[in-house]
Amino acid sequence: MDEDKLNINIDAKTQELLDGYTNIALFGIDNRSTGKYESGNSDCIMIASINNDTKEVRLISVYRDSFLAVDDDDNLRKLNAAYAKGGPTGAVAALNKNLDLDIKEYVAVDFNAVMEVVDALGGIELDISSKEAETMKIYINEMNEVMGTNGTAVSGPGLQTVNGIQALAYCRDRYSGGDDYGRTERQRTVISKIVEKAKAASLPTLNKVIDKLFPDISTSLSSSEILGLAAGIKDYELADTQGWPFQLTTERMGGKLGDVVVPTDLETNVNLLHQYLFDVEDYETTQTVKNISKSVINETGKTASDTVRDTNPFTAEDTEADTQTQ
């Protein structure tokens, strides 16, 4: 990607700190056809932040409906529109602009790539609830019809090994509790299980997986760079995962936007993000973030006093409440 288009606007002090980390954007594109990565909404948006010294990895899901500046004109839309408007470069630029980051690398996958990696590793182990098992059937039936697959549903709830299409259905599920907050947690669970399985695999096995998958993904990383990361995978530790914004509310906007996730407020949430990822206690956001934060408040009327969720509180109580309202 052209670094001049990535909206890296942090000051020298912050850049010196972030040089100790490798930040990679991960996008899941809602494309049923394989290998089309130029556009499309990014229904899964994550940031993997790797501490280069300790090899500790933190994984952040950025909620796709987050109401943020999605282009160079600072138009406020749902964040997943940034990929549709500007492809991978536009999506990374939006993350950098809104979150004061220096992301220069990305990986984008579609439905087929998710299924392939899980199958190539021999499946992953998930603990599936009764509601999730039922909802997964709906997604598997839809994918069989649209994509021409012949996947089968899980036999029922419980701890079990799932294949690629079953793992994908689990990732897409937002009706079994927690809405999109629950769905992003399921996505991070699948990533965590893939990492566990990959760490237990031999290097020749990982090399075969990478050789098979590399033509079917879109990434700024070369195959040799990915192989280099794979060679040291046992040194990396997935320390924690969270959803962002940490403090938020929702608001129904006019026109075609519908319901959006509102950071309450953006400046506070960016401060908390830098504290979470980089252990910075007194981070001062850029003027760009301050300006976007004011614009979000002006458009939505929502401030810190309107916060309804704080620090990714997806809990069993959320699951029960959502199930009762469906």
Side-chain angles (χ1 to χ4, degrees), residues 43-104:
D43 277 355
C44 174
I45 306 169
M46 294 186 184
I47 301 166
S49 183
I50 305 167
N51 185 312
N52 296 332
D53 292 329
T54 66
K55 307 301 182 186
E56 180 180 273
V57 183
R58 292 181 183 267
L59 191 64
I60 285 280
S61 293
V62 183
Y63 299 128
R64 64 176 193 169
D65 292 338
S66 298
F67 193 58
L68 297 171
V70 300
D71 54 29
D72 290 338
D73 296 326
D74 289 349
N75 289 307
L76 297 177
R77 297 287 187 275
K78 293 180 180 180
L79 183 61
N80 67 348
Y83 199 107
K85 290 171 71 71
T89 298
V92 170
L95 289 172
N96 285 335
K97 174 188 282 189
N98 289 277
L99 305 184
D100 278 355
L101 294 175
D102 66 341
I103 302 170
K104 300 172 186 173

Short mmCIF file of all heavy atoms in Angstrom, two decimals, residues 43-104:
data_model
loop_
_atom_site.label_atom_id
_atom_site.label_comp_id
_atom_site.label_asym_id
_atom_site.label_seq_id
_atom_site.Cartn_x
_atom_site.Cartn_y
_atom_site.Cartn_z
N ASP A 43 -17.32 -6.71 7.01
CA ASP A 43 -18.19 -7.02 8.13
C ASP A 43 -17.43 -7.48 9.36
O ASP A 43 -18.00 -7.56 10.45
CB ASP A 43 -19.21 -8.08 7.70
CG ASP A 43 -20.40 -7.44 6.98
OD1 ASP A 43 -20.43 -6.20 6.90
OD2 ASP A 43 -21.27 -8.17 6.50
N CYS A 44 -16.18 -7.82 9.19
CA CYS A 44 -15.31 -8.12 10.33
C CYS A 44 -14.08 -7.22 10.22
O CYS A 44 -13.40 -7.21 9.20
CB CYS A 44 -14.90 -9.59 10.31
SG CYS A 44 -13.69 -10.03 11.58
N ILE A 45 -13.84 -6.43 11.26
CA ILE A 45 -12.70 -5.51 11.29
C ILE A 45 -11.94 -5.75 12.58
O ILE A 45 -12.50 -5.60 13.68
CB ILE A 45 -13.16 -4.03 11.23
CG1 ILE A 45 -14.06 -3.79 10.01
CG2 ILE A 45 -11.95 -3.11 11.19
CD1 ILE A 45 -14.76 -2.44 10.04
N MET A 46 -10.69 -6.15 12.47
CA MET A 46 -9.87 -6.40 13.65
C MET A 46 -8.51 -5.74 13.51
O MET A 46 -8.06 -5.44 12.40
CB MET A 46 -9.66 -7.89 13.88
CG MET A 46 -10.89 -8.68 14.23
SD MET A 46 -10.45 -10.40 14.66
CE MET A 46 -12.08 -11.10 14.89
N ILE A 47 -7.87 -5.52 14.64
CA ILE A 47 -6.48 -5.06 14.68
C ILE A 47 -5.71 -6.03 15.56
O ILE A 47 -6.07 -6.25 16.72
CB ILE A 47 -6.35 -3.64 15.24
CG1 ILE A 47 -7.15 -2.65 14.40
CG2 ILE A 47 -4.88 -3.23 15.32
CD1 ILE A 47 -7.34 -1.30 15.07
N ALA A 48 -4.67 -6.64 14.99
CA ALA A 48 -3.76 -7.48 15.77
C ALA A 48 -2.53 -6.63 16.09
O ALA A 48 -1.84 -6.16 15.19
CB ALA A 48 -3.35 -8.71 14.98
N SER A 49 -2.30 -6.41 17.37
CA SER A 49 -1.17 -5.60 17.81
C SER A 49 -0.15 -6.50 18.50
O SER A 49 -0.43 -7.12 19.53
CB SER A 49 -1.64 -4.50 18.77
OG SER A 49 -0.57 -3.67 19.14
N ILE A 50 1.05 -6.58 17.91
CA ILE A 50 2.09 -7.49 18.37
C ILE A 50 3.20 -6.69 19.05
O ILE A 50 3.77 -5.77 18.45
CB ILE A 50 2.70 -8.27 17.19
CG1 ILE A 50 1.60 -9.00 16.40
CG2 ILE A 50 3.75 -9.26 17.68
CD1 ILE A 50 2.08 -9.53 15.06
N ASN A 51 3.49 -7.00 20.30
CA ASN A 51 4.63 -6.41 20.99
C ASN A 51 5.89 -7.11 20.46
O ASN A 51 6.09 -8.30 20.67
CB ASN A 51 4.50 -6.60 22.50
CG ASN A 51 5.59 -5.90 23.28
OD1 ASN A 51 6.77 -6.03 22.97
ND2 ASN A 51 5.20 -5.17 24.31
N ASN A 52 6.74 -6.35 19.78
CA ASN A 52 7.89 -6.96 19.11
C ASN A 52 8.90 -7.56 20.09
O ASN A 52 9.64 -8.49 19.72
CB ASN A 52 8.59 -5.92 18.22
CG ASN A 52 7.70 -5.44 17.10
OD1 ASN A 52 6.83 -6.16 16.62
ND2 ASN A 52 7.90 -4.19 16.68
N ASP A 53 8.93 -7.06 21.31
CA ASP A 53 9.89 -7.57 22.30
C ASP A 53 9.35 -8.79 23.03
O ASP A 53 10.03 -9.81 23.14
CB ASP A 53 10.24 -6.46 23.31
CG ASP A 53 11.04 -5.34 22.69
OD1 ASP A 53 11.79 -5.61 21.73
OD2 ASP A 53 10.89 -4.18 23.14
N THR A 54 8.13 -8.69 23.55
CA THR A 54 7.59 -9.78 24.38
C THR A 54 6.85 -10.82 23.55
O THR A 54 6.55 -11.91 24.06
CB THR A 54 6.61 -9.21 25.42
OG1 THR A 54 5.46 -8.67 24.75
CG2 THR A 54 7.27 -8.12 26.26
N LYS A 55 6.52 -10.50 22.28
CA LYS A 55 5.73 -11.37 21.39
C LYS A 55 4.28 -11.53 21.88
O LYS A 55 3.57 -12.42 21.45
CB LYS A 55 6.37 -12.75 21.23
CG LYS A 55 7.83 -12.70 20.79
CD LYS A 55 8.00 -11.98 19.48
CE LYS A 55 9.45 -12.00 19.03
NZ LYS A 55 9.68 -11.19 17.81
N GLU A 56 3.85 -10.66 22.79
CA GLU A 56 2.47 -10.68 23.25
C GLU A 56 1.58 -10.03 22.20
O GLU A 56 1.92 -8.99 21.64
CB GLU A 56 2.36 -9.92 24.58
CG GLU A 56 0.96 -9.88 25.16
CD GLU A 56 0.91 -9.12 26.47
OE1 GLU A 56 1.15 -9.75 27.52
OE2 GLU A 56 0.63 -7.90 26.44
N VAL A 57 0.45 -10.67 21.94
CA VAL A 57 -0.48 -10.18 20.92
C VAL A 57 -1.81 -9.82 21.58
O VAL A 57 -2.34 -10.60 22.38
CB VAL A 57 -0.72 -11.25 19.83
CG1 VAL A 57 -1.64 -10.69 18.73
CG2 VAL A 57 0.61 -11.72 19.23
N ARG A 58 -2.32 -8.65 21.24
CA ARG A 58 -3.67 -8.26 21.66
C ARG A 58 -4.52 -8.08 20.41
O ARG A 58 -4.05 -7.51 19.42
CB ARG A 58 -3.63 -6.99 22.50
CG ARG A 58 -2.97 -7.20 23.85
CD ARG A 58 -2.94 -5.95 24.71
NE ARG A 58 -2.22 -6.20 25.95
CZ ARG A 58 -2.80 -6.58 27.08
NH1 ARG A 58 -4.12 -6.74 27.12
NH2 ARG A 58 -2.10 -6.81 28.16
N LEU A 59 -5.74 -8.56 20.49
CA LEU A 59 -6.64 -8.56 19.34
C LEU A 59 -7.86 -7.71 19.65
O LEU A 59 -8.55 -7.95 20.64
CB LEU A 59 -7.05 -10.00 19.02
CG LEU A 59 -7.78 -10.27 17.70
CD1 LEU A 59 -6.87 -9.96 16.52
CD2 LEU A 59 -8.23 -11.72 17.64
N ILE A 60 -8.09 -6.71 18.80
CA ILE A 60 -9.21 -5.78 18.97
C ILE A 60 -10.19 -5.97 17.81
O ILE A 60 -9.79 -5.94 16.64
CB ILE A 60 -8.71 -4.32 18.98
CG1 ILE A 60 -8.02 -3.99 20.29
CG2 ILE A 60 -9.86 -3.36 18.73
CD1 ILE A 60 -8.96 -3.68 21.43
N SER A 61 -11.47 -6.17 18.14
CA SER A 61 -12.53 -6.07 17.13
C SER A 61 -13.04 -4.64 17.13
O SER A 61 -13.47 -4.13 18.18
CB SER A 61 -13.70 -7.01 17.46
OG SER A 61 -13.34 -8.36 17.36
N VAL A 62 -13.00 -3.98 15.99
CA VAL A 62 -13.60 -2.65 15.87
C VAL A 62 -14.99 -2.86 15.29
O VAL A 62 -15.14 -3.39 14.19
CB VAL A 62 -12.76 -1.73 14.95
CG1 VAL A 62 -13.37 -0.33 14.91
CG2 VAL A 62 -11.31 -1.67 15.45
N TYR A 63 -16.01 -2.48 16.04
CA TYR A 63 -17.38 -2.77 15.62
C TYR A 63 -17.66 -2.15 14.26
O TYR A 63 -17.40 -0.96 14.04
CB TYR A 63 -18.38 -2.29 16.66
CG TYR A 63 -18.21 -2.95 18.00
CD1 TYR A 63 -18.08 -2.21 19.17
CD2 TYR A 63 -18.14 -4.34 18.11
CE1 TYR A 63 -17.91 -2.82 20.40
CE2 TYR A 63 -17.95 -4.96 19.32
CZ TYR A 63 -17.84 -4.19 20.47
OH TYR A 63 -17.65 -4.81 21.69
N ARG A 64 -18.21 -2.95 13.36
CA ARG A 64 -18.37 -2.54 11.96
C ARG A 64 -19.30 -1.35 11.81
O ARG A 64 -19.18 -0.58 10.86
CB ARG A 64 -18.91 -3.71 11.14
CG ARG A 64 -20.31 -4.15 11.57
CD ARG A 64 -20.87 -5.23 10.69
NE ARG A 64 -22.30 -5.39 10.94
CZ ARG A 64 -23.10 -6.11 10.18
NH1 ARG A 64 -22.63 -6.74 9.14
NH2 ARG A 64 -24.39 -6.20 10.46
N ASP A 65 -20.25 -1.16 12.76
CA ASP A 65 -21.22 -0.07 12.67
C ASP A 65 -20.75 1.19 13.40
O ASP A 65 -21.54 2.12 13.60
CB ASP A 65 -22.57 -0.52 13.23
CG ASP A 65 -23.24 -1.57 12.36
OD1 ASP A 65 -22.90 -1.66 11.17
OD2 ASP A 65 -24.10 -2.30 12.87
N SER A 66 -19.48 1.22 13.81
CA SER A 66 -18.95 2.39 14.51
C SER A 66 -19.07 3.63 13.63
O SER A 66 -18.66 3.62 12.46
CB SER A 66 -17.49 2.18 14.91
OG SER A 66 -17.37 1.09 15.80
N PHE A 67 -19.62 4.70 14.19
CA PHE A 67 -19.90 5.94 13.45
C PHE A 67 -18.64 6.81 13.47
O PHE A 67 -18.35 7.48 14.45
CB PHE A 67 -21.08 6.66 14.10
CG PHE A 67 -21.66 7.78 13.28
CD1 PHE A 67 -22.14 7.54 12.00
CD2 PHE A 67 -21.75 9.06 13.80
CE1 PHE A 67 -22.70 8.57 11.25
CE2 PHE A 67 -22.31 10.09 13.07
CZ PHE A 67 -22.78 9.85 11.78
N LEU A 68 -17.87 6.76 12.36
CA LEU A 68 -16.57 7.39 12.30
C LEU A 68 -16.35 8.05 10.94
O LEU A 68 -17.18 7.92 10.04
CB LEU A 68 -15.47 6.35 12.56
CG LEU A 68 -15.49 5.67 13.94
CD1 LEU A 68 -14.51 4.51 13.97
CD2 LEU A 68 -15.16 6.68 15.05
N ALA A 69 -15.22 8.73 10.80
CA ALA A 69 -14.86 9.36 9.52
C ALA A 69 -14.29 8.29 8.59
O ALA A 69 -13.26 7.68 8.91
CB ALA A 69 -13.83 10.46 9.75
N VAL A 70 -14.93 8.06 7.46
CA VAL A 70 -14.58 6.91 6.63
C VAL A 70 -13.78 7.26 5.37
O VAL A 70 -13.40 6.36 4.62
CB VAL A 70 -15.84 6.12 6.21
CG1 VAL A 70 -16.57 5.62 7.44
CG2 VAL A 70 -16.75 6.96 5.33
N ASP A 71 -13.52 8.55 5.12
CA ASP A 71 -12.79 8.91 3.91
C ASP A 71 -11.99 10.19 4.13
O ASP A 71 -11.99 10.76 5.24
CB ASP A 71 -13.74 9.06 2.71
CG ASP A 71 -14.88 10.04 2.99
OD1 ASP A 71 -14.69 10.98 3.79
OD2 ASP A 71 -15.96 9.88 2.40
N ASP A 72 -11.32 10.65 3.09
CA ASP A 72 -10.47 11.85 3.20
C ASP A 72 -11.26 13.11 3.47
O ASP A 72 -10.72 14.12 3.92
CB ASP A 72 -9.63 12.02 1.93
CG ASP A 72 -8.55 10.96 1.81
OD1 ASP A 72 -8.17 10.38 2.85
OD2 ASP A 72 -8.09 10.69 0.68
N ASP A 73 -12.57 13.08 3.16
CA ASP A 73 -13.43 14.25 3.41
C ASP A 73 -14.07 14.21 4.79
O ASP A 73 -14.91 15.06 5.12
CB ASP A 73 -14.53 14.33 2.34
CG ASP A 73 -13.97 14.56 0.95
OD1 ASP A 73 -12.96 15.28 0.83
OD2 ASP A 73 -14.53 14.01 -0.02
N ASP A 74 -13.69 13.21 5.60
CA ASP A 74 -14.21 13.05 6.96
C ASP A 74 -15.72 12.88 7.01
O ASP A 74 -16.38 13.29 7.98
CB ASP A 74 -13.79 14.23 7.85
CG ASP A 74 -12.30 14.21 8.17
OD1 ASP A 74 -11.65 13.19 7.88
OD2 ASP A 74 -11.78 15.21 8.69
N ASN A 75 -16.29 12.26 5.97
CA ASN A 75 -17.71 11.93 6.01
C ASN A 75 -17.95 10.88 7.08
O ASN A 75 -17.24 9.88 7.15
CB ASN A 75 -18.17 11.40 4.65
CG ASN A 75 -18.22 12.48 3.60
OD1 ASN A 75 -18.83 13.53 3.80
ND2 ASN A 75 -17.57 12.24 2.47
N LEU A 76 -18.95 11.11 7.92
CA LEU A 76 -19.27 10.18 9.00
C LEU A 76 -20.24 9.12 8.50
O LEU A 76 -21.34 9.43 8.04
CB LEU A 76 -19.87 10.94 10.19
CG LEU A 76 -18.95 11.96 10.87
CD1 LEU A 76 -19.71 12.70 11.97
CD2 LEU A 76 -17.71 11.29 11.45
N ARG A 77 -19.80 7.88 8.58
CA ARG A 77 -20.59 6.74 8.15
C ARG A 77 -20.25 5.56 9.07
O ARG A 77 -19.41 5.66 9.95
CB ARG A 77 -20.25 6.34 6.69
CG ARG A 77 -20.57 7.38 5.65
CD ARG A 77 -22.06 7.50 5.40
NE ARG A 77 -22.34 8.39 4.28
CZ ARG A 77 -22.44 9.70 4.34
NH1 ARG A 77 -22.26 10.30 5.52
NH2 ARG A 77 -22.72 10.43 3.28
N LYS A 78 -20.87 4.43 8.82
CA LYS A 78 -20.45 3.21 9.49
C LYS A 78 -19.06 2.83 8.98
O LYS A 78 -18.79 2.92 7.78
CB LYS A 78 -21.44 2.08 9.22
CG LYS A 78 -22.81 2.29 9.84
CD LYS A 78 -23.74 1.14 9.52
CE LYS A 78 -25.11 1.36 10.15
NZ LYS A 78 -26.06 0.25 9.86
N LEU A 79 -18.21 2.38 9.88
CA LEU A 79 -16.81 2.13 9.53
C LEU A 79 -16.67 1.10 8.42
O LEU A 79 -15.73 1.18 7.62
CB LEU A 79 -16.03 1.69 10.77
CG LEU A 79 -14.53 1.46 10.57
CD1 LEU A 79 -13.83 2.74 10.11
CD2 LEU A 79 -13.89 0.93 11.84
N ASN A 80 -17.59 0.13 8.33
CA ASN A 80 -17.42 -0.90 7.30
C ASN A 80 -17.54 -0.33 5.89
O ASN A 80 -17.15 -0.98 4.92
CB ASN A 80 -18.38 -2.07 7.52
CG ASN A 80 -19.84 -1.70 7.32
OD1 ASN A 80 -20.20 -0.53 7.24
ND2 ASN A 80 -20.69 -2.70 7.27
N ALA A 81 -18.05 0.91 5.76
CA ALA A 81 -18.14 1.54 4.45
C ALA A 81 -16.78 1.99 3.93
O ALA A 81 -16.62 2.22 2.73
CB ALA A 81 -19.09 2.74 4.50
N ALA A 82 -15.78 2.12 4.81
CA ALA A 82 -14.47 2.59 4.38
C ALA A 82 -13.85 1.63 3.38
O ALA A 82 -13.21 2.05 2.40
CB ALA A 82 -13.54 2.76 5.59
N TYR A 83 -14.01 0.32 3.60
CA TYR A 83 -13.48 -0.67 2.66
C TYR A 83 -14.23 -0.60 1.34
O TYR A 83 -13.63 -0.68 0.26
CB TYR A 83 -13.57 -2.07 3.26
CG TYR A 83 -12.66 -3.10 2.61
CD1 TYR A 83 -11.53 -3.55 3.27
CD2 TYR A 83 -12.93 -3.62 1.35
CE1 TYR A 83 -10.69 -4.50 2.69
CE2 TYR A 83 -12.10 -4.56 0.76
CZ TYR A 83 -10.98 -5.00 1.43
OH TYR A 83 -10.15 -5.92 0.84
N ALA A 84 -15.55 -0.44 1.42
CA ALA A 84 -16.34 -0.36 0.19
C ALA A 84 -15.97 0.87 -0.63
O ALA A 84 -15.96 0.82 -1.87
CB ALA A 84 -17.83 -0.33 0.54
N LYS A 85 -15.63 1.96 0.04
CA LYS A 85 -15.30 3.20 -0.66
C LYS A 85 -13.87 3.21 -1.17
O LYS A 85 -13.59 3.73 -2.25
CB LYS A 85 -15.51 4.41 0.27
CG LYS A 85 -16.97 4.71 0.60
CD LYS A 85 -17.08 5.75 1.68
CE LYS A 85 -16.69 7.14 1.18
NZ LYS A 85 -17.66 7.72 0.26
N GLY A 86 -12.94 2.64 -0.39
CA GLY A 86 -11.53 2.80 -0.74
C GLY A 86 -10.70 1.54 -0.72
O GLY A 86 -9.46 1.61 -0.76
N GLY A 87 -11.36 0.36 -0.65
CA GLY A 87 -10.61 -0.88 -0.63
C GLY A 87 -9.73 -0.99 0.61
O GLY A 87 -9.92 -0.26 1.59
N PRO A 88 -8.74 -1.88 0.59
CA PRO A 88 -7.88 -2.07 1.77
C PRO A 88 -7.16 -0.79 2.20
O PRO A 88 -7.08 -0.50 3.40
CB PRO A 88 -6.87 -3.13 1.31
CG PRO A 88 -7.54 -3.84 0.20
CD PRO A 88 -8.40 -2.84 -0.49
N THR A 89 -6.67 -0.01 1.23
CA THR A 89 -5.96 1.22 1.58
C THR A 89 -6.89 2.19 2.30
O THR A 89 -6.53 2.79 3.32
CB THR A 89 -5.37 1.89 0.33
OG1 THR A 89 -4.42 1.00 -0.26
CG2 THR A 89 -4.68 3.19 0.67
N GLY A 90 -8.10 2.36 1.78
CA GLY A 90 -9.06 3.26 2.41
C GLY A 90 -9.46 2.80 3.80
O GLY A 90 -9.65 3.61 4.72
N ALA A 91 -9.61 1.47 3.97
CA ALA A 91 -10.01 0.94 5.27
C ALA A 91 -8.90 1.12 6.30
O ALA A 91 -9.16 1.49 7.45
CB ALA A 91 -10.38 -0.53 5.13
N VAL A 92 -7.65 0.85 5.91
CA VAL A 92 -6.52 1.05 6.83
C VAL A 92 -6.37 2.53 7.15
O VAL A 92 -6.13 2.91 8.30
CB VAL A 92 -5.22 0.48 6.23
CG1 VAL A 92 -4.02 0.89 7.06
CG2 VAL A 92 -5.30 -1.04 6.15
N ALA A 93 -6.52 3.39 6.15
CA ALA A 93 -6.41 4.83 6.37
C ALA A 93 -7.46 5.31 7.36
O ALA A 93 -7.18 6.17 8.21
CB ALA A 93 -6.56 5.57 5.04
N ALA A 94 -8.67 4.75 7.30
CA ALA A 94 -9.73 5.14 8.23
C ALA A 94 -9.38 4.71 9.66
O ALA A 94 -9.60 5.47 10.61
CB ALA A 94 -11.06 4.54 7.80
N LEU A 95 -8.83 3.52 9.82
CA LEU A 95 -8.42 3.07 11.15
C LEU A 95 -7.33 3.98 11.70
O LEU A 95 -7.37 4.40 12.87
CB LEU A 95 -7.92 1.63 11.10
CG LEU A 95 -8.99 0.55 10.87
CD1 LEU A 95 -8.33 -0.81 10.65
CD2 LEU A 95 -9.96 0.48 12.05
N ASN A 96 -6.34 4.30 10.89
CA ASN A 96 -5.24 5.15 11.34
C ASN A 96 -5.75 6.54 11.73
O ASN A 96 -5.36 7.10 12.76
CB ASN A 96 -4.18 5.28 10.26
CG ASN A 96 -3.33 4.03 10.11
OD1 ASN A 96 -3.19 3.25 11.05
ND2 ASN A 96 -2.77 3.83 8.94
N LYS A 97 -6.63 7.09 10.91
CA LYS A 97 -7.13 8.45 11.16
C LYS A 97 -7.96 8.53 12.43
O LYS A 97 -7.78 9.43 13.25
CB LYS A 97 -7.96 8.94 9.98
CG LYS A 97 -8.63 10.30 10.21
CD LYS A 97 -9.59 10.67 9.10
CE LYS A 97 -8.85 11.16 7.89
NZ LYS A 97 -9.77 11.74 6.86
N ASN A 98 -8.87 7.58 12.61
CA ASN A 98 -9.79 7.64 13.74
C ASN A 98 -9.19 7.17 15.05
O ASN A 98 -9.67 7.53 16.12
CB ASN A 98 -11.04 6.81 13.44
CG ASN A 98 -11.93 7.43 12.39
OD1 ASN A 98 -12.75 8.31 12.68
ND2 ASN A 98 -11.79 6.98 11.14
N LEU A 99 -8.13 6.32 14.98
CA LEU A 99 -7.59 5.69 16.19
C LEU A 99 -6.15 6.11 16.49
O LEU A 99 -5.54 5.57 17.42
CB LEU A 99 -7.66 4.16 16.05
CG LEU A 99 -9.02 3.57 15.73
CD1 LEU A 99 -8.96 2.05 15.71
CD2 LEU A 99 -10.06 4.03 16.72
N ASP A 100 -5.59 7.05 15.72
CA ASP A 100 -4.20 7.49 15.94
C ASP A 100 -3.23 6.31 15.89
O ASP A 100 -2.42 6.11 16.80
CB ASP A 100 -4.06 8.21 17.28
CG ASP A 100 -4.48 9.67 17.21
OD1 ASP A 100 -4.80 10.15 16.10
OD2 ASP A 100 -4.51 10.34 18.28
N LEU A 101 -3.30 5.54 14.80
CA LEU A 101 -2.43 4.38 14.66
C LEU A 101 -1.52 4.52 13.45
O LEU A 101 -1.62 5.47 12.68
CB LEU A 101 -3.28 3.10 14.55
CG LEU A 101 -4.08 2.74 15.80
CD1 LEU A 101 -4.97 1.53 15.54
CD2 LEU A 101 -3.16 2.47 16.99
N ASP A 102 -0.62 3.54 13.30
CA ASP A 102 0.35 3.58 12.19
C ASP A 102 0.32 2.27 11.41
O ASP A 102 1.36 1.75 10.99
CB ASP A 102 1.77 3.82 12.74
CG ASP A 102 2.29 2.67 13.58
OD1 ASP A 102 1.46 1.85 14.06
OD2 ASP A 102 3.52 2.57 13.77
N ILE A 103 -0.88 1.73 11.19
CA ILE A 103 -1.01 0.45 10.51
C ILE A 103 -0.54 0.59 9.06
O ILE A 103 -0.96 1.49 8.34
CB ILE A 103 -2.47 -0.04 10.53
CG1 ILE A 103 -2.96 -0.16 11.98
CG2 ILE A 103 -2.60 -1.38 9.81
CD1 ILE A 103 -4.45 -0.41 12.10
N LYS A 104 0.33 -0.34 8.64
CA LYS A 104 0.85 -0.34 7.26
C LYS A 104 0.61 -1.69 6.57
O LYS A 104 0.93 -1.82 5.39
CB LYS A 104 2.34 -0.02 7.27
CG LYS A 104 2.68 1.33 7.86
CD LYS A 104 4.19 1.51 8.02
CE LYS A 104 4.50 2.80 8.75
NZ LYS A 104 5.96 2.92 9.05
#
